[in-house]
Amino acid sequence: MDWRGASYDRLHTQDDTFALLAEAVGDSADMVEERATPEARARAARALLDIADRVQFDRRISALLRRDLLSACLPALRDAVDRGVRRLAEHERLGFDLGVQLALMIVAARAADPGWAAAAAGRLALAEPGERALRELRELQEPGGA
């Protein structure tokens, strides 16, 4: 994670380097066709999801959860959620709101794998992820949500 600390959020003075990278990868869909780099984009998204249980992305993780990337990265997303839920259940101090990141990932995964998403939401809720995360998870329970 050589890039850690390359950028800081001015408001909260927290490292947002990987959040900015996630946005760049997610927002690059229009350039992928032009440059013929869809697999490189998917690899970059998987690499970022591989660290999503350890690094702050906050709501910017959503840039990596677009349908085209989600289908290419679902195993990495599942693995990151599983690791993150374990971290929360063990009350590991992380310095950022991992619960919200995981909830956003789970809600997005519902479109590709509703059964896994429902089970993951239950595991996350049991790990006491915080009220913000629980609000995100409620979207799974609403008709027509995510």
Side-chain angles (χ1 to χ4, degrees):
M1 289 196 270
D2 294 333
W3 291 347
R4 183 174 279 207
S7 175
Y8 284 88
D9 173 284
R10 289 183 188 149
L11 182 62
H12 302 290
T13 63
Q14 293 183 319
D15 183 357
D16 68 350
T17 305
F18 291 98
L20 293 174
L21 287 170
E23 274 188 335
V25 170
D27 291 346
S28 67
D30 58 335
M31 290 182 259
V32 168
E33 296 306 319
E34 177 183 319
R35 296 180 182 172
T37 57
E39 185 49 40
R41 180 174 178 246
R43 281 194 312 272
R46 282 191 293 272
L48 289 165
L49 287 169
D50 281 343
I51 60 171
D53 62 304
R54 297 176 284 153
V55 175
Q56 174 177 307
F57 287 88
D58 199 45
R59 295 192 169 280
R60 291 178 172 163
I61 192 79
S62 297
L64 295 177
L65 305 176
R66 298 164 194 237
R67 287 189 188 265
D68 62 321
L69 286 175
L70 189 60
S71 63
C73 301
L74 195 56
L77 181 146
R78 287 183 190 135
D79 291 345
V81 167
D82 290 342
R83 288 189 310 269
V85 168
R86 279 194 302 273
R87 287 177 188 281
L88 288 176
E90 293 169 0
H91 305 289
E92 188 174 326
R93 290 263 183 226
L94 297 166
F96 66 96
D97 195 342
L98 177 59
V100 167
Q101 280 181 202
L102 298 175
L104 290 168
M105 293 165 69
I106 291 167
V107 170
R110 178 183 183 203
D113 191 342
W116 177 86
R123 290 191 308 273
L124 179 58
L126 289 174
E128 300 176 2
E131 187 54 38
R132 287 178 63 209
L134 293 174
R135 274 196 304 269
E136 294 294 336
L137 290 178
R138 285 189 197 113
E139 187 175 332
L140 286 173
Q141 298 166 346
E142 295 172 5

